Amino acid sequence: DTAVSQTPKYLVTQMGNDKSIKCEQNLGHDTMYWYKQDSKKFLKIMFSYNNKELIINETVPNRFSPKSPDKAHLNLHINSLELGDSAVYFCASSRGISQGRNEKLFFGSGTQLSVL
Amino acid sequence: KQEVTQIPAALSVPEGENLVLNCSFTDSAIYNLQWFRQDPGKGLTSLLLIQSSQREQTSGRLNASLDKSSGRSTLYIAASQPGDSATYLCAVRQRDFGNEKLTFGTGTRLTIIP
């Protein structure tokens, strides 16, 4: 019973392609996130959704578009993939800002994206 | 802009020893600080969360301290075991241009030598 699950675990694709990464949480959390971990292992927030509403959108190219069909899912679609998009992408969730700020984040196991 | 630093980047210690991991941050206006562990090919697991009003938190062999005014936190691991080998990351939560987010450090890769 994985709390935060994301698929696929590995994604190898050619430059210029469009791909999606899916994320689902079964914790009943209100807030979901996408993080990018680069080759130097630095984790940086990309997006955050609270109850299907976008609340954080960092400086991320427009080619990245998150979609939240319901509060248990936050998918990441990437258009026109570039070499620099190669990284590990992590989905995470928390109970949400409405529950207070001191809520732990729960992470998925990551999707390793390799753009060739 | 918040910057979170973890030194050293890598640490190896013999099994059984106690050790301390360090985390420093530049902006002390934080809500809380979390310590995570990341195993190779896996996601992050939250270990401890210290609220800005707290000085420390303990869980089993782990003890995390927070000195907000000096922008420092430490993670103390007692009686280290090979299973403690992982990358440890700290992250601070704060308000940033109307949003709240976590800023992560680059991590310390810990190896416990049997």
Side-chain angles (χ1 to χ4, degrees):
Chain A
D1 289 341
T2 306
V4 181
S5 59
Q6 50 183 113
T7 56
K9 188 170 176 63
Y10 301 97
L11 185 53
V12 181
T13 189
Q14 298 286 335
M15 217 166 46
N17 284 349
D18 303 339
K19 290 293 178 186
S20 292
I21 307 172
K22 295 185 176 181
C23 179
E24 175 183 3
Q25 53 93 5
N26 61 6
L27 298 166
H29 287 170
D30 288 335
T31 305
M32 296 184 72
Y33 311 80
W34 275 108
Y35 283 85
K36 179 180 179 180
Q37 188 173 43
D38 60 25
S39 57
K40 296 182 180 178
K41 304 300 182 187
F42 185 60
L43 262 166
K44 187 166 178 169
I45 183 115
M46 299 174 67
F47 300 102
S48 173
Y49 269 71
N50 189 61
N51 270 322
K52 302 195 299 173
E53 190 175 324
L54 180 67
I55 56 172
I56 292 178
N57 183 355
E58 289 295 292
T59 307
V60 176
N62 290 336
R63 300 180 294 103
F64 290 78
S65 54
K67 296 244 181 342
S68 182
D70 54 63
K71 72 175 192 177
H73 295 84
L74 182 62
N75 304 322
L76 183 64
H77 189 75
I78 315 170
N79 289 328
S80 303
L81 278 156
E82 299 178 358
L83 294 176
D85 297 332
S86 296
V88 182
Y89 292 83
F90 286 99
C91 177
S93 73
S94 68
R95 285 176 64 192
I97 294 172
S98 62
Q99 300 296 326
R101 301 183 174 96
N102 295 309
E103 292 292 330
K104 290 185 177 180
L105 259 65
F106 293 79
F107 280 80
S109 57
T111 295
Q112 185 167 333
L113 172 64
S114 299
V115 182
L116 307 177
Chain B
K1 181 184 173 184
Q2 179 73 269
E3 290 184 10
V4 182
T5 306
Q6 292 183 248
I7 296 173
L11 180 66
S12 294
V13 300
E15 180 179 0
E17 286 199 1
N18 303 326
L19 60 101
V20 175
L21 305 179
N22 297 297
C23 172
S24 61
F25 47 95
T26 54
D27 185 350
S28 62
I30 65 171
Y31 294 130
N32 58 53
L33 183 145
Q34 290 188 60
W35 281 94
F36 294 85
R37 103 174 242 164
Q38 183 176 22
D39 294 282
K42 302 266 180 80
L44 281 71
T45 301
S46 181
L47 299 172
L48 290 164
L49 183 150
I50 313 176
Q51 299 178 32
S52 61
S53 58
Q54 298 174 328
R55 299 284 291 185
E56 65 178 330
Q57 280 287 323
T58 299
S59 175
R61 294 182 295 108
L62 305 179
N63 176 277
S65 69
L66 174 65
D67 184 342
K68 202 173 78 153
S69 60
S70 67
R72 294 182 187 206
S73 176
T74 61
L75 179 67
Y76 174 83
I77 302 178
S80 58
Q81 302 171 358
D84 295 331
S85 296
T87 296
Y88 290 80
L89 297 106
C90 65
V92 296
R93 185 171 195 146
Q94 65 180 142
R95 183 164 288 275
D96 182 75
F97 293 102
N99 296 316
E100 293 186 16
K101 65 176 185 180
L102 285 183
T103 302
F104 281 84
T106 49
T108 295
R109 190 172 70 253
L110 175 66
T111 303
I112 305 300
I113 305 164

